[in-house]
Amino acid sequence: MADFLLAIDQGTTSSRAIVFDAQGAICGIGQQEFAQHFPADGWVEHDLEDIWSSTLAVCHQAISNAGIQASQIRSIGITNQRETTALWDRATGEPVGRAIVWQDRRTAAHCEKLRREGVESMVSRRTGLLLDPYFSGTKLAWMLDASSDVRQRAERGELAFGTIDSFLLWRLTGGKVHATDATNASRTLLFNIHKQCWDDELLNLLNIPASLLPEVKDSADDYGHTVEDLFGVSLPIGALIGDQQAATVGQACFEPGMVKSTYGTGCFVMLNTGSRAITSKNRLLTTVAWRLKGRVTYALEGSIFVAGAAVQWLRDGLHLIGSASEMQDLAESVPSSNGVYMVPAFTGLGAPYWDPDARGAILGLTRDTQIAHIARATLEAVCYQSRDLLDAMRDDGADLAALRVDGGMVVNDWLVQRLADTIGCECQRPAVIETTALGAACLAGLQSGLYTSLEQFSSAWQAERSFSPVMSEADRERRYHGWKKAVARVRADAV
């Protein structure tokens, strides 16, 4: 029986694929890191061919590790790093330069110019987003303006734009399908989240030809079939969804008021607001959580650009650690961070600050500072940034009884306990922490008829462990006050 689901989870630092059975259990995993390119200060790029080759390789690894044949895959779900911007040739499928990654800040000046022109309120009303380099629209405008040849080819209809889901879909279907889903479209600065369509006025604002754009479909939908020579059989593709929205599905946050936080390269907190697109008074984002059968569920989202990436920097940049798995032992080896605060604003600060010109710093260093203090401060920075977002959500009216957490970082018990202490509420870690891939698989299963409803999936969600706050209120507030002072030191207007 073809009752297995293949989830492609194409992330910022690695490509992953996971085979799930019909009960949502993991049967096989493939993972492969790929190169990061930093050609200038604040610039981050990916080679699309690296993304494609690694994605294809991990799919084969996952199927092999599951001990099944590709013909036993019922459907494929794709989830992806969002906002990362790709251009390719419609005739050949060849990339037009490297993809510009969501972390990239090269369009900060363009965003500031648009703000000075007074258009941010209009953009926010339509898209739920702010004018920030984070989003795809100004990245795409930069790519078109970087070369007269590229713009001319775009205006002749020779090029295709997409976020990474669209690029993978194009390659998997042999160029037959150029599409995205409403969650990824909602992160481009080009999509009206209320009318659920590309917005002509926004396209004109950024001088982007409509011919570049993919068709926008439901998150669970008919996305065509893979070409046969990739897996030896043509497989249906039943879901596309941005990674943070996929994690929200995987965490079964289906009721308004439920909230999850994912700790990967960055950190992303998403609060389900149901059928209401709520406007934040704290510069959080209003976004599409998912769209099913034409019905939209919205969310408030807070985005932290650097979480696990700070650990990766300690490993690969400073060579202070050999692997991420050392972080818990280091954090536990000292009684405190000894006054050290890490503010990992390597590519600016995300919500609620939205300061693209801020830069990272390690503050409070003394002669007796040890590697363990820096490691502990790096993990604490993830917790403090999470509180920044959750406090903003509380101020927007959210009643947070519990936070469901996931992502690679939450295998660290010390981190999750410190998170509960820092935010002052229970943190629930699911039995399956691969929630991003699980969410994509769930939607693919829904599209294929393996599941009949989201409620069926919700009943299967289980917490592996819950962490309750044990830190005193006075201690919590003292530490957080130190964090706020550290952030103030790295803000662009403080220099």
Side-chain angles (χ1 to χ4, degrees):
M1 293 291 292
D3 281 346
F4 293 92
L5 299 166
L6 175 63
I8 296 173
D9 181 1
Q10 203 299 302
T12 307
T13 57
S14 70
S15 298
R16 296 163 61 78
I18 300 181
V19 173
F20 293 91
D21 66 16
Q23 287 71 47
I26 294 173
C27 301
I29 300 178
Q31 179 169 353
Q32 184 174 308
E33 291 191 0
F34 56 88
Q36 311 289 302
H37 301 275
F38 309 100
D41 179 29
W43 292 30
V44 189
E45 297 178 349
H46 288 161
D47 187 319
L48 286 168
E49 295 297 351
D50 287 347
I51 286 177
W52 170 243
S53 61
S54 61
T55 297
L56 200 56
V58 298
C59 287
H60 284 285
Q61 289 172 15
I63 293 169
S64 174
N65 290 339
I68 65 171
Q69 301 297 315
S71 59
Q72 293 176 266
I73 300 293
R74 185 183 183 107
S75 186
I76 296 174
I78 300 173
T79 184
N80 56 288
Q81 52 166 314
R82 304 169 305 171
E83 299 95 15
T84 296
T85 303
L87 266 181
W88 63 92
D89 187 288
R90 287 186 178 275
T92 66
E94 293 181 3
V96 178
R98 289 177 181 155
I100 300 180
V101 179
W102 58 272
Q103 299 164 315
D104 190 284
R105 315 303 287 168
R106 74 185 67 184
T107 64
H110 188 185
C111 292
E112 179 57 33
K113 175 178 178 291
L114 292 171
R115 272 192 295 272
R116 289 196 304 268
E117 293 172 357
V119 300
E120 184 169 52
S121 60
M122 180 273 289
V123 172
S124 294
R125 282 196 307 273
R126 297 179 186 215
T127 67
L129 310 178
L130 302 171
L131 283 172
D132 189 86
Y134 178 24
F135 307 109
S136 310
T138 57
K139 299 181 193 297
L140 177 56
W142 186 95
M143 296 171 87
L144 295 176
D145 290 337
S147 164
S148 59
D149 176 63
V150 171
R151 178 162 290 283
Q152 289 168 8
R153 292 169 67 192
E155 291 176 347
R156 290 196 299 265
E158 297 173 3
L159 303 182
F161 152 75
T163 42
I164 296 302
D165 58 307
S166 294
F167 174 72
L168 292 179
L169 181 65
W170 179 281
R171 285 288 180 92
L172 288 166
T173 61
K176 291 181 180 178
V177 184
H178 183 209
T180 189
D181 89 301
T183 68
N184 281 292
S186 75
R187 313 296 294 190
T188 61
L189 278 179
L190 307 173
F191 188 72
N192 189 312
I193 63 171
H194 309 288
K195 296 181 178 179
Q196 290 292 297
C197 64
W198 300 116
D199 191 292
D200 289 338
E201 189 168 349
L202 297 174
L203 294 175
N204 290 335
L205 178 68
L206 295 176
N207 195 20
I208 292 173
S211 62
L212 285 169
L213 304 175
E215 177 187 2
V216 181
K217 307 183 78 165
D218 288 347
S219 303
D221 213 324
D222 179 4
Y223 285 99
H225 288 70
T226 64
V227 292
E228 189 171 332
D229 60 357
L230 294 178
F231 302 107
V233 63
S234 182
L235 298 174
I237 302 169
L240 262 60
I241 185 169
D243 53 6
Q244 302 314 314
Q245 287 89 340
T248 308
V249 174
Q251 286 279 42
C253 291
F254 299 136
E255 296 298 323
M258 298 183 74
V259 60
K260 71 87 197 176
S261 188
T262 297
Y263 297 90
T265 300
C267 166
F268 304 86
V269 180
M270 189 165 282
L271 170 72
N272 184 331
T273 63
S275 60
R276 297 175 59 213
I278 295 173
T279 300
S280 170
K281 59 185 178 183
N282 293 292
R283 294 175 66 77
L284 300 177
L285 307 176
T286 306
T287 197
V288 175
W290 53 79
R291 193 177 83 189
L292 297 174
K293 296 182 178 178
R295 296 181 60 184
V296 182
T297 296
Y298 293 97
L300 276 181
E301 180 179 331
S303 306
I304 296 167
F305 298 146
V306 175
V311 176
Q312 186 182 44
W313 177 69
L314 294 185
R315 183 193 70 186
D316 300 340
L318 298 186
H319 303 289
L320 296 184
I321 60 172
S323 69
S325 61
E326 298 174 25
M327 292 292 286
Q328 179 165 341
D329 287 344
L330 282 169
E332 291 176 335
S333 71
V334 289
S336 74
S337 57
N338 202 30
V340 175
Y341 283 88
M342 150 85 85
V343 185
F346 302 144
T347 57
L349 288 168
Y353 307 103
W354 295 109
D355 187 346
D357 297 316
R359 286 296 178 265
I362 303 175
L363 304 167
L365 297 174
T366 61
R367 283 291 297 271
D368 62 345
T369 298
Q370 304 169 21
I371 290 174
H373 296 129
I374 295 173
R376 184 174 174 127
T378 300
L379 295 180
E380 288 177 336
V382 174
C383 303
Y384 294 133
Q385 290 180 103
S386 299
R387 176 164 171 180
D388 287 341
L389 299 181
L390 292 166
D391 279 0
M393 287 183 174
R394 288 177 172 123
D395 193 51
D396 280 331
D399 181 14
L400 304 178
L403 176 69
R404 293 186 173 183
V405 300
D406 57 79
M409 296 189 78
V410 304
V411 298
N412 183 325
D413 288 350
W414 185 91
L415 171 65
V416 184
Q417 181 59 57
R418 181 48 59 97
L419 178 63
D421 289 335
T422 302
I423 65 176
C425 80
E426 181 182 358
C427 293
Q428 298 174 337
R429 185 170 64 193
V432 178
I433 65 168
E434 298 289 355
T435 55
T436 303
L438 182 61
C442 169
L443 293 179
L446 193 66
Q447 172 65 19
S448 70
L450 184 61
Y451 308 129
T452 58
S453 67
L454 290 179
E455 288 70 28
Q456 177 185 354
F457 183 74
S458 178
S459 63
W461 187 91
Q462 291 183 333
E464 175 264 334
R465 182 175 171 184
S466 294
F467 298 76
S468 298
V470 295
M471 184 182 291
S472 72
E473 181 72 16
D475 198 12
R476 176 184 304 125
E477 294 308 312
R478 178 183 59 81
R479 293 168 185 266
Y480 186 60
H481 178 68
W483 163 257
K484 298 295 280 187
K485 289 173 62 178
V487 170
R489 296 276 295 276
V490 308
R491 296 293 302 273
D493 56 10
V495 177

